[in-house]
Amino acid sequence: MITLTAFILSAFVCAWFITYNIARPIRNLSVAMERTRSSGWLKKIETKMPNNEIGRLAESYNSMIEYLNELFNRLLENEKNVQKAEIRVLQEQIKPHFLYNTLETISYMAVQENASKAHDALETLGSFYRNFLSKGDREIPLKRELRITQDYLSLQKLRYGDIFEDEYILDDSTLDYMIPKLILQPLVENCIYHGVRLKGEKCVIRITTCMDEGGLHIIVYDSGVGMSPEQIKNVLEASEKDDIKVLSGFGLRGTINRIRYYYDCDNVVQICSEPGEYTEIEIYIPKMRKTKVEGEE
C-alpha cells in the first residue's frame, strides 16, 4: 500500500514537473511565436522562460530575431542609398546643360555644314536618351551600357572635335551580362573633363572587358593628365566613409559609391594612375546571371 501511494505521489510530482518546466513553457513559447508571426513583425519574445533548454531556445530565437532585424535594416538602408544614387545619375544627365550644348552644336552643324551630318547627330542623341532611360530598368546588358557610352562619346566629339579617340577591347562572352545601369557613362565623362581636356593633346579613352571565375572586369583607361596618389586616396576613401548625400557631384565618387551599395561590397573598384600619363579604373562585378535580351542586336 505504501509503495502504491509512493508511486502515485511520484507520478503526480513528475507530471507537475513536466507540466511546469516543459509543457507549459513550450506552449507559451509556441503562443508567443505565433503571435509574432500573425502580427507581421519580427519581435522578440517577452514571455518569461525557465532557466533550462526551453529558456535557452527562447534566447536563441530572440538572438536570431535581433540579427534578422539588423540585416533587414541594413538591406533597407542599402536599397535607399542605391535608389538615391540612381536618381542623382538621372538628374545629372537630364539637366539642361548637356542637352543644350549638344543641340547648339547640332544647330551649328546644320547651318555651317550639311543636313546629313545634323540628321546623324540627332539620331545619336535620340539613341543616347532612349538607351539611357532603358524603360526604367535597373539592370541592363553590358552591350546596352556600352551603346549608351558610345553614343555619349560620339556626342562629345561633336562638341570638342578630335581631342580623343575611343577604343574598345571587348570579350564577346561579357556582352550579355547584366550590370547596374549607367556605371560607364559617368566614368568616361570623368575621363573627358578631368583627364583629356586638361592634357592639351589628343588622348585615348579605352574600355576593356573580360571575365574570370570570380566575375566581370570592366577597365576604363584614359591617357589624360592622370591622378596623384593623394587624389586616388581621397576619391576611394571619400566614397567609403562619406554619406552619399554629401558627396560632391555624381561622377567618379558617386559611381564608386553606388556600385559599392549595389553589391554591398567595398572591394569593387581599383584605380591605377601615373600623373601626366594615364588613369585606369577597374570595376569588378561579382559573378551574375547572363541574360539574352529579346530584341537586342
Side-chain angles (χ1 to χ4, degrees):
M1 186 68 179
I2 295 176
T3 302
L4 179 61
T5 302
F7 175 79
I8 294 173
L9 183 61
S10 297
F12 273 114
V13 170
C14 288
W16 174 86
F17 179 84
I18 292 173
T19 299
Y20 185 82
N21 291 282
I22 299 177
R24 184 180 298 172
I26 289 177
R27 184 174 66 252
N28 291 340
L29 181 60
S30 177
V31 169
M33 288 181 174
E34 176 61 24
R35 190 183 305 119
T36 296
R37 185 195 68 79
S38 60
S39 70
W41 297 94
L42 294 179
K43 297 180 180 179
K44 292 184 179 180
I45 294 174
E46 303 295 340
T47 305
K48 187 176 181 180
M49 292 291 166
N51 186 25
N52 57 18
E53 286 76 8
I54 306 299
R56 285 187 282 276
L57 177 61
E59 290 175 0
S60 297
Y61 177 83
N62 283 340
S63 296
M64 180 184 68
I65 293 297
E66 184 177 2
Y67 172 75
L68 287 174
N69 282 328
E70 289 177 357
L71 181 60
F72 288 151
N73 289 334
R74 178 182 173 188
L75 291 174
L76 180 61
E77 187 63 26
N78 275 354
E79 178 64 19
K80 288 180 180 178
N81 286 327
V82 169
Q83 290 181 357
K84 289 176 185 177
E86 290 172 348
I87 290 172
R88 293 179 70 198
V89 172
L90 291 170
Q91 287 174 335
E92 288 293 333
Q93 287 308 327
I94 295 176
K95 280 183 178 179
H97 73 273
F98 172 72
L99 182 58
Y100 286 172
N101 289 335
T102 304
L103 289 175
E104 184 178 359
T105 301
I106 295 173
S107 175
Y108 174 83
M109 291 172 58
V111 173
Q112 298 295 328
E113 299 186 26
N114 58 63
S116 177
K117 287 188 177 181
H119 174 269
D120 292 343
L122 286 171
E123 285 285 332
T124 302
L125 181 62
S127 174
F128 170 75
Y129 276 108
R130 184 169 57 254
N131 286 293
F132 173 81
L133 295 173
S134 302
K135 300 178 182 178
D137 296 334
R138 173 172 288 183
E139 293 181 355
I140 59 176
L142 174 61
K143 59 186 175 185
R144 189 186 296 173
E145 180 74 9
L146 288 166
R147 193 173 305 153
I148 294 171
T149 304
Q150 290 169 331
D151 287 339
Y152 174 80
L153 291 175
S154 295
L155 294 171
Q156 292 291 41
K157 285 180 181 179
L158 295 178
R159 183 180 179 191
Y160 294 112
D162 60 350
I163 65 170
F164 69 89
E165 289 292 335
D166 50 323
E167 301 177 354
Y168 304 88
I169 304 175
L170 309 174
D171 183 342
D172 289 341
S173 68
T174 66
L175 298 181
D176 290 313
Y177 273 81
M178 304 298 286
I179 65 172
K181 181 174 66 176
L182 301 175
I183 60 174
L184 285 184
Q185 184 274 330
L187 298 188
V188 297
E189 181 170 344
N190 183 79
C191 291
I192 293 173
Y193 286 101
H194 300 288
V196 171
R197 287 179 60 196
L198 303 178
K199 187 73 175 279
E201 60 185 59
K202 190 169 185 177
C203 297
V204 172
I205 296 176
R206 182 186 306 120
I207 297 176
T208 304
T209 68
C210 61
M211 288 291 302
D212 62 18
E213 293 182 356
L216 172 65
H217 296 262
I218 306 173
I219 301 170
V220 179
Y221 166 95
D222 73 81
S223 58
V225 297
M227 300 173 66
S228 67
E230 290 76 19
Q231 288 175 312
I232 295 174
K233 181 179 179 182
N234 288 338
V235 167
L236 294 177
E237 289 186 353
S239 296
E240 287 180 350
K241 68 185 180 183
D242 290 351
D243 187 271
I244 195 167
K245 291 182 290 188
V246 301
L247 288 174
S248 59
F250 83 100
L252 183 54
R253 288 183 176 183
T255 300
I256 292 173
N257 216 37
R258 179 172 163 239
I259 297 171
R260 284 173 172 162
Y261 278 123
Y262 198 92
Y263 291 104
D264 193 19
C265 178
D266 287 337
N267 189 28
V268 290
V269 178
Q270 292 184 348
I271 302 177
C272 297
S273 185
E274 182 70 32
E277 298 295 330
Y278 74 93
T279 297
E280 185 176 274
I281 303 171
E282 180 174 357
I283 302 172
Y284 167 69
I285 303 294
K287 200 156 192 178
M288 300 175 66
R289 63 188 181 278
K290 182 179 179 182
T291 304
K292 291 281 187 182
V293 178
E294 186 176 353
E296 285 288 320
E297 296 176 359

